[in-house]
Amino acid sequence: MARTATLTIDGKTIELPIVVGSEGEIGIDISKLREQTGAITLDPSFGNTGACKSAITFIDGDKGILRYRGIPIEQLAEKSRFIEVAWLLIFGHLPKKDELARFSQRLTQNAPLHEAFKHHFEGFPVNAPPMAMLSAMINTLSCFHTHFLQLDDAEAFEEAAARLISKVRTIAAYSYRRSMGKPFIYPDPNLKYVANFLHMMFSEPYQQYIAPKEVEDALNLILVLHADHEQNCSTSTVRVVGSSKANMFTSCAAGVCALWGPLHGGANVAVLEMLESIYRGGLTPQQCIELAKDKNSGFKLMGFGHRVYKNFDPRAKILKESCHKVLNKLGVNDPLLDIAMKLEELALKDQYFVDRKLYPNVDFYSGIIMKAIGIPVNMFTVMFSIGRMPGWIAHWKEQHDDATARISRPRQIYTGPTITDYVPMDQR
Ligand code: ACO
């Protein structure tokens, strides 16, 4: 018999269906609640609200589990490349050889930007934040690829997805070049996704930069680990925008805007700034911990805590390990790593953090790796955006293909004035 939950409100009892996910999670379906009782649910910031059913990513925050399409993140981090993961997330299965070859070819073909599109960069001041340029330019793709605004067949969708994944990398590199006042470097069709990005970032017209394998692998790992994380703030934004049937480019540009904030993807920049401030003697690790515990300080331990993980973030575990390996291989001795480890050690034995189950999240160690491989700090959140693009596209598609999906439109409990008469100007 189907399970139900019983709710009694003002003497009236109703049965609410229980929806069970493939990993046994349960959700109470309240979609008919208002119709049946006149009441709505109130869940500010959606901590207890399932906004959709999704088959893309599974997280068990209590056990520290993350899986893309069922495959544990640890396996993907060890064995997979970013493009393979992108396909997996978007199309639901690991690509066969011919699918991967076709997708890679589409990525290569779509790496260059339209010359007229490139001129848009000149309108930005050189000190424009790369995240602002990135979201603006992704939105601008809607102007240059108008035939991909409606994506109603599989072929057009695959091409549009490849365009976006490929062009976000070129746009990201050009945003950096613009911010440095450097000439744009054309993509090299002979290079793979990550190597090509690093070439567009760091080559000069007179000298090509070919990234060492360790650098390429480290960035590949970062992109794989960031590729999806179910209904986080930016992905939910993409879904909300997409629910109005807005096109995929524009919906993903909105995702970049949501990601920028320091409580979300912007935390990777904030972590590095925090570590650097400790290094410069601004405050000691212990003072930093004390400040984070003081609610009046407005300061949080950046890179710590997560809405869903109440145990180790598995991505942070992988990155911490990889951080040591990458720094060793590159012969980099970064005192910020020692500071990060000291902070982690202090926090993990401090009652405040223990009681609240606050652990390092994905942003805690990623910045140290990115710094070691030469990514400038103002590009950290841009790297996150490149990584998250397949996830955003997968969620946009899942919703687009769902014939039952409706426009996202939450309700509210109104707390403003009750009916009030208009007062003419001379009587106010
Ligand atoms: N430092 C100090 N205290 C914290 C921190 C932190 N980093 N994170 C949470 N807390 C406290 C909260 O103030 C709250 O305290 P209270 O119970 O005494 O009021 C308690 O821990 C529980 O917080 P949550 O409800 O679990 O936090 P929420 O889900 O609202 O926020 C968030 C999650 C935004 C990630 C938060 O932990 C935070 O601001 N962390 C720092 C920023 C950061 O690293 N963001 C990146 C997240 S991962 C990502 O988006 C890629």
Side-chain angles (χ1 to χ4, degrees):
M1 207 173 79
R3 288 164 75 188
T4 58
T6 308
L7 176 77
T8 303
I9 177 166
D10 294 338
K12 182 176 176 187
T13 298
I14 59 163
E15 298 290 316
L16 296 164
I18 288 183
V19 180
V20 185
S22 51
E23 290 283 350
E25 306 156 290
I26 60 166
I28 301 171
D29 178 353
I30 51 107
S31 53
K32 298 271 183 287
L33 179 67
R34 188 170 178 277
E35 200 178 299
Q36 293 177 350
T37 67
I40 61 167
T41 55
L42 181 63
D43 183 22
S45 72
F46 313 128
N48 290 292
T49 296
C52 60
K53 292 183 199 163
S54 178
I56 300 170
T57 287
F58 172 69
I59 300 176
D60 183 329
D62 296 321
K63 295 192 185 135
I65 291 175
L66 169 61
R67 296 180 200 140
Y68 297 162
R69 300 284 186 182
I71 304 178
I73 193 65
E74 292 77 9
Q75 289 184 26
L76 292 167
E78 191 193 329
K79 299 180 180 151
S80 195
R81 304 304 289 178
F82 177 60
I83 293 313
E84 189 181 35
V85 166
W87 180 281
L88 168 72
L89 286 167
I90 297 170
F91 298 104
H93 60 270
L94 286 168
K96 298 199 178 77
K97 222 175 182 172
D98 60 322
E99 290 170 329
L100 190 59
R102 189 176 73 225
F103 199 54
S104 299
Q105 198 186 1
R106 285 190 200 270
L107 292 169
T108 305
Q109 280 164 353
N110 283 301
L113 301 178
H114 191 291
E115 287 298 312
F117 181 94
K118 263 170 46 181
H119 294 311
H120 282 254
F121 283 100
E122 283 157 26
F124 294 115
V126 277
N127 59 353
M131 280 298 275
M133 285 192 261
L134 186 71
S135 66
M137 295 303 273
I138 292 175
N139 208 13
T140 306
L141 289 174
S142 311
C143 311
F144 283 81
H145 305 278
T146 47
H147 45 299
F148 288 116
L149 301 188
Q150 292 284 353
L151 292 176
D152 291 326
D153 70 86
E155 164 70 20
F157 173 78
E158 188 181 315
E159 174 65 15
R163 277 186 193 210
L164 188 45
I165 292 173
S166 188
K167 290 191 191 300
V168 67
R169 159 190 62 168
T170 314
I171 294 172
Y174 283 20
S175 303
Y176 170 65
R177 304 291 295 191
R178 173 72 188 151
S179 73
M180 297 298 286
K182 288 184 172 226
F184 298 142
I185 301 292
Y186 282 96
D188 180 341
N190 298 311
L191 294 177
K192 297 269 188 218
Y193 190 87
V194 172
N196 208 353
F197 169 72
L198 291 164
H199 150 70
M200 287 189 277
M201 285 280 287
F202 300 125
S203 288
E204 297 300 344
Y206 48 84
Q207 191 171 35
Q208 184 166 32
Y209 171 78
I210 296 290
K213 188 168 180 314
E214 300 81 49
V215 170
E216 197 184 329
D217 287 349
L219 190 53
N220 178 71
L221 175 70
I222 286 178
L223 297 183
V224 167
L225 294 181
H226 285 83
D228 192 44
H229 214 233
E230 50 115 309
Q231 311 304 320
N232 57 86
C233 175
S234 55
T235 303
S236 301
T237 302
V238 170
R239 289 189 85 121
V240 168
V241 175
S243 78
S244 74
K245 301 285 178 217
N247 74 73
M248 188 173 75
F249 301 121
T250 257
S251 304
C252 291
V256 174
C257 298
L259 189 73
W260 193 3
L263 296 189
H264 192 12
N268 54 16
V269 174
V271 169
L272 211 88
E273 287 169 353
M274 178 181 79
L275 297 177
E276 272 172 351
S277 144
I278 296 174
Y279 179 64
R280 285 195 306 269
L283 69 174
T284 63
Q286 188 60 51
Q287 283 169 332
C288 191
I289 297 285
E290 295 308 322
L291 207 60
K293 287 156 55 178
D294 175 3
K295 296 282 184 216
N296 296 321
S297 70
F299 176 83
K300 283 186 169 181
L301 188 57
M302 299 314 286
F304 254 74
H306 199 275
R307 172 61 59 83
V308 180
Y309 292 118
K310 301 300 168 197
N311 195 326
F312 255 93
D313 177 339
R315 302 166 301 172
K317 247 191 208 169
I318 297 169
L319 281 175
K320 182 178 177 184
E321 209 185 298
S322 149
C323 203
H324 288 285
K325 280 192 200 148
V326 172
L327 266 58
N328 273 342
K329 273 190 196 156
L330 296 175
V332 174
N333 183 11
D334 191 342
L336 298 191
L337 178 57
D338 299 328
I339 296 174
M341 288 194 311
K342 183 72 194 165
L343 272 179
E344 180 184 333
E345 184 197 319
L346 290 173
L348 292 185
K349 61 182 187 207
D350 189 295
Q351 210 51 45
Y352 173 96
F353 291 87
V354 173
D355 289 347
R356 289 167 180 76
K357 300 185 176 155
L358 302 171
Y359 292 90
N361 60 47
V362 68
D363 293 315
F364 197 65
Y365 286 104
S366 64
I368 299 174
I369 300 183
M370 286 195 271
K371 183 167 168 261
I373 61 174
I375 306 288
V377 178
N378 69 348
M379 288 294 287
F380 285 4
T381 318
V382 172
M383 296 297 105
F384 194 151
S385 310
I386 299 176
R388 187 53 55 87
M389 192 54 77
W392 290 333
I393 294 173
H395 284 271
W396 185 91
K397 181 180 192 300
E398 184 173 62
Q399 177 175 261
H400 184 75
D401 292 350
D402 177 359
T404 66
R406 298 166 73 202
I407 189 166
S408 293
R409 201 325 188 164
R411 290 189 176 257
Q412 63 168 14
I413 298 292
Y414 175 70
T415 59
T418 52
I419 188 162
T420 307
D421 282 330
Y422 175 82
V423 180
M425 184 65 84
D426 59 352
Q427 291 168 32
R428 287 176 208 167

